[in-house]
Amino acid sequence: MNTMFFKLALLLTPFLFVNNFSFTDLNIAGPDKYEKLWEEVDKLESDALPKSALEKVEEIYNLALSEKNDKQIIKSTIYRIKYTNILEEDGYETAIVKLESEIPKVSGVSKAMLHMLLATMYADYYTNNSYLINQRSVTFNFEMTDLKTWDKTRFQDQIIKNYMLALDDNLKQVNIDEYKDFIIYAKESEKQIPTLYDFVAYNAINRLSSNYGYYDYYYYDDYYGGRNSQNDKITELAYLADASSFTKFPVEADSLSYNYAVVKIYQKWLNFRLSDTENIEALLFTDLRRL
């Protein structure tokens, strides 16, 4: 199955995602007021007026926030990130910091999905700047709002933390088909990835399993003896036990280990799948990936 993610996130930066689709394909069925507002954003985009487009997106975001409209909160958040990235020299960094400050304002589905988006942004920022980041000494003297002062361990912590926070129980009740306007291959993958919880777990595992870039893996770990070394490899045969036994296996490991974060996510994911006795295909899909 192809990697799944937000269609809208394709708009963030040219290096994040590769699928192509048009801006006008993104209109979400719903109240006319939102459709009309997005049409205005579309027009401003076409007229090459990103600053005005951002102002309109802020209007949509505030409206969605007041109405607790999850889909519109997610969509407008991604567009805010897009235009901030366009308008400011360090726009991507600014967008990350802003997203951090906005997450406490939302709840439920929106909060979980924005945590997932934030984790992905941290991971991509790290991947694209790993050569510089990996040369910084580990220090506690960093500025929370200045990513240029962060060492590798700070990024690891934020990536893992936000993926874990994205695994919110609220998502277990949301069918992935409800978000097909946002998620690539949602309809085709519904039997294996039936809910937003499955979607988040699937994507978090994919990203954490492949988060090491060229410089991170070959340069930093071999030269400096960093994490992802031999000590981080999974060797316990108990991890290959049946699904039920696996979910109960205690995981005591480095909190900054991507490998063990993946194990913990699989435990949460399989525990959820085992509780759904009607969807055997989704359980088999999850457990086969784990094995």
Side-chain angles (χ1 to χ4, degrees):
M1 182 169 58
N2 293 302
T3 299
M4 308 160 66
F5 200 69
F6 293 126
K7 288 183 180 181
L8 297 180
L10 300 170
L11 298 169
L12 295 180
T13 58
F15 56 79
L16 280 184
F17 306 97
V18 296
N19 301 72
N20 295 313
F21 64 99
S22 68
F23 184 93
T24 53
D25 288 336
L26 299 175
N27 288 323
I28 300 172
D32 288 344
K33 60 185 175 185
Y34 284 111
E35 292 182 7
K36 290 177 181 177
L37 287 168
W38 283 114
E39 285 173 5
E40 292 179 46
V41 174
D42 191 1
K43 178 64 166 56
L44 293 166
E45 169 97 358
S46 300
D47 293 341
L49 297 170
K51 185 176 181 180
S52 298
L54 177 57
E55 291 172 358
K56 184 59 62 175
V57 169
E58 293 285 359
E59 181 182 337
I60 296 171
Y61 175 78
N62 289 327
L63 175 62
L65 204 60
S66 67
E67 296 184 342
K68 298 182 179 180
N69 187 316
D70 289 322
K71 292 182 181 179
Q72 294 295 340
I73 289 172
I74 296 167
K75 179 175 180 177
S76 56
T77 295
I78 294 174
Y79 274 84
R80 293 169 90 202
I81 295 167
K82 174 194 174 181
Y83 292 125
T84 300
N85 195 32
I86 291 172
L87 292 166
E88 299 186 26
E89 183 178 352
D90 294 322
Y92 201 67
E93 296 172 29
T94 302
I96 289 175
V97 173
K98 189 170 185 177
L99 181 54
E100 277 274 18
S101 67
E102 293 293 324
I103 287 179
K105 298 178 183 179
V106 297
S107 60
V109 173
S110 295
K111 194 181 193 75
M113 300 305 264
L114 294 190
H115 272 300
M116 179 181 172
L117 178 58
L118 183 59
T120 303
M121 292 179 71
Y122 276 128
D124 283 302
Y125 181 89
Y126 172 74
T127 298
N128 285 276
N129 296 279
S130 59
Y131 177 73
L132 294 173
I133 295 168
N134 290 342
Q135 296 183 66
R136 298 172 191 163
S137 299
V138 176
T139 176
F140 296 101
N141 298 319
F142 59 83
E143 294 290 334
M144 283 296 296
T145 58
D146 185 2
L147 274 61
K148 291 185 177 67
T149 67
W150 289 21
D151 60 63
K152 177 182 178 179
T153 63
R154 182 65 186 167
F155 282 98
Q156 288 175 306
D157 176 65
Q158 290 300 304
I159 292 165
I160 292 172
K161 182 186 81 172
N162 279 284
Y163 274 130
M164 290 299 184
L165 289 171
L167 288 168
D168 189 289
D169 286 346
N170 287 294
L171 303 186
K172 294 177 180 179
Q173 309 303 319
V174 184
N175 192 296
I176 196 172
D177 189 57
E178 295 178 31
Y179 279 73
K180 61 181 180 293
D181 292 315
F182 282 82
I183 299 173
I184 299 170
Y185 308 119
K187 191 66 178 176
E188 297 87 338
S189 308
E190 191 174 6
K191 290 184 178 179
Q192 297 85 22
I193 309 285
T195 72
L196 285 186
Y197 190 92
D198 297 282
F199 169 75
V200 168
Y202 172 86
N203 276 282
I205 287 169
N206 275 357
R207 293 308 304 263
L208 290 169
S209 298
S210 60
N211 194 60
Y212 300 102
Y214 175 85
Y215 288 112
D216 184 30
Y217 187 84
Y218 292 100
Y219 179 79
Y220 181 82
D221 286 315
D222 289 345
Y223 190 83
Y224 289 106
R227 301 180 191 280
N228 198 33
S229 62
Q230 190 68 30
N231 293 333
D232 197 31
K233 295 190 183 297
I234 295 171
T235 58
E236 292 281 353
L237 289 178
Y239 287 117
L240 297 177
D242 63 89
S244 181
S245 299
F246 168 77
T247 61
K248 299 179 179 67
F249 189 70
V251 179
E252 300 294 337
D254 189 336
S255 62
L256 300 181
S257 165
Y258 291 129
N259 280 344
Y260 282 95
V262 166
V263 170
K264 290 177 183 178
I265 292 172
Y266 267 125
Q267 287 184 321
K268 289 174 177 289
W269 191 8
L270 276 168
N271 195 53
F272 170 48
R273 284 287 110 233
L274 286 165
S275 69
D276 182 4
T277 57
E278 296 182 4
N279 199 329
I280 301 302
E281 185 171 342
L283 171 60
L284 291 174
F285 171 79
T286 304
D287 204 30
L288 285 172
R289 286 187 61 84
R290 185 262 303 191
L291 292 170

